[in-house]
Amino acid sequence: MTRERPRKRARATRLVLLGSAAFGLAACQEEQVEATVFPSVEECRALADLPENDFTAEDCVEGFEEAQAVHAESAPRYEDQALCEEQHGGECVAEQRPGGGSIFLPLLAGYMIGNMLGGRGLAAQPLYRTAGGRYATPSGGTRLSGLRGTTQVRPASFSANPSTRTAAPLTRSTVNSRGGFGASRTGGGFGSRSFGG
């Protein structure tokens, strides 16, 4: 009988330690915010009046305008049209540089809006098609599998993006060193999310 008591105590101690470890891991996970993704402002507005959605038609328009402003300032810019098209499924446009010459930007494929933590209101980000058929934010850090639906993302998915307007355009060697647009990056985004169609 004296041998069973230490075994029970050791087993109970292991269960407490396992429970504590699981609780500790859960506490380390970053909070998530809900984001809704749309291919167009029209589709967003069509869904705004549904009771399960917590955004308005006005939010759709404001979010789209914010996404367009972020796109103008922070869209990935490439030195070569073919490289841009490879990275974004063939949909790129030319932009004239102030000093002359052209650079190439992907078209805006859609946008996402989300409620920020702490009651800071809605935020928006543009989304671009990736070579693999997914969609990503300007930095490529947050990647989504579709342009319709609701998902959970890190608040960092709505962080300000660095300006690319005056930065050197992306070259083939730069893109290759990063693993391509929308590839996994350290400290970037939430990772691939599967939803919608």
Side-chain angles (χ1 to χ4, degrees):
M1 276 201 170
T2 55
R3 288 188 179 179
E4 282 191 39
R5 197 171 270 167
R7 280 188 188 170
K8 285 183 181 178
R9 190 176 306 154
R11 186 174 180 188
T13 302
R14 271 184 278 163
L15 289 175
V16 168
L17 289 174
L18 286 173
S20 298
F23 179 75
L25 286 174
C28 290
Q29 290 181 344
E30 188 174 345
E31 240 179 306
Q32 304 288 300
V33 295
E34 186 172 282
T36 309
V37 181
F38 308 97
S40 67
V41 68
E42 293 79 19
E43 190 159 323
C44 178
R45 290 174 74 179
L47 298 172
D49 293 332
L50 297 177
E52 64 267 19
N53 293 325
D54 61 349
F55 54 88
T56 65
E58 186 176 298
D59 293 333
C60 292
V61 173
E62 289 175 4
F64 184 68
E65 289 171 355
E66 182 179 342
Q68 286 183 309
V70 172
H71 168 74
E73 189 65 34
S74 301
R77 288 170 160 85
Y78 298 86
E79 70 172 4
D80 179 68
Q81 183 174 0
L83 177 61
C84 181
E85 290 175 351
E86 286 171 19
Q87 297 301 306
H88 298 281
E91 299 177 345
C92 294
V93 295
E95 177 182 89
Q96 293 299 310
R97 285 280 227 187
S102 295
I103 55 171
F104 301 89
L105 291 77
L107 293 177
L108 194 64
Y111 70 111
M112 70 176 176
I113 57 175
N115 282 314
M116 298 308 294
L117 297 173
R120 289 181 287 155
L122 287 176
Q125 282 287 334
L127 294 170
Y128 305 98
R129 184 183 192 101
T130 68
R134 293 185 177 271
Y135 301 90
T137 54
S139 68
T142 298
R143 297 168 309 283
L144 306 167
S145 62
L147 284 178
R148 290 178 179 87
T150 302
T151 189
Q152 298 287 316
V153 297
R154 292 184 349 190
S157 299
F158 290 100
S159 294
N161 298 287
S163 175
T164 59
R165 202 182 272 271
T166 58
L170 296 168
T171 64
R172 189 165 297 280
S173 62
T174 306
V175 169
N176 289 341
S177 71
R178 295 178 180 183
F181 177 77
S184 181
R185 307 206 179 162
T186 57
F190 185 67
S192 296
R193 304 291 298 168
S194 294
F195 68 95

